[in-house]
């Protein structure tokens, strides 16, 4: 950019700053179909992943509890009276 063009742009820049700062917010107000579609896609991916993770964690926990219970029974067998 040549210096004369910079000189012409810089005096207008302070007047443009408030408009530039709010330009990105103008399109995000109200209902936005694109954001809704993005939300639906994200949920469609995350919900099955989270459910699978919860199920696997629960199965591992139950298996660990069963193993601990089996070990406890072997260490301290109950006597029949």
């Amino acid at each position: 950019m040549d210096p004369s063009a910079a000189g012409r742009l810089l005096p207008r820049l302070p007047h443009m700053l408030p408009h530039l700062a709010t330009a990105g917010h103008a399109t995000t107000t109200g209902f936005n179909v694109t954001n809704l579609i993005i939300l639906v896609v994200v949920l469609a991916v995350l919900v099955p992943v989270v459910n699978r993770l919860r199920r696997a964690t629960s199965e591992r926990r139950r298996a660990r509890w069963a193993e601990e219970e089996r070990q406890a029974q072997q260490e301290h067998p109950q006597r029949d009276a």
Side-chain angles (χ1 to χ4, degrees), residues 48-68:
V49 170
V50 169
N51 286 342
R52 193 174 315 128
L53 180 63
R54 291 180 67 209
R55 188 178 330 113
T57 303
S58 179
E59 289 170 359
R60 283 193 303 262
R61 183 176 52 243
R62 286 187 183 124
R64 187 183 74 234
W65 287 349
E67 178 64 22
E68 290 172 355

Side-chain angles (χ1 to χ4, degrees), residues 9-56:
L9 178 63
L10 290 178
R12 292 184 5 214
L13 190 58
H15 300 292
M16 294 169 43
L17 286 178
H19 300 292
L20 291 174
T22 60
H25 299 289
T27 58
T28 60
T29 59
F31 180 76
N32 191 340
V33 175
T34 304
N35 288 341
L36 179 63
I37 292 171
I38 292 170
L39 177 64
V40 168
V41 169
V42 167
L43 288 176
V45 170
L46 286 181
V47 168
V49 170
V50 169
N51 286 342
R52 193 174 315 128
L53 180 63
R54 291 180 67 209
R55 188 178 330 113

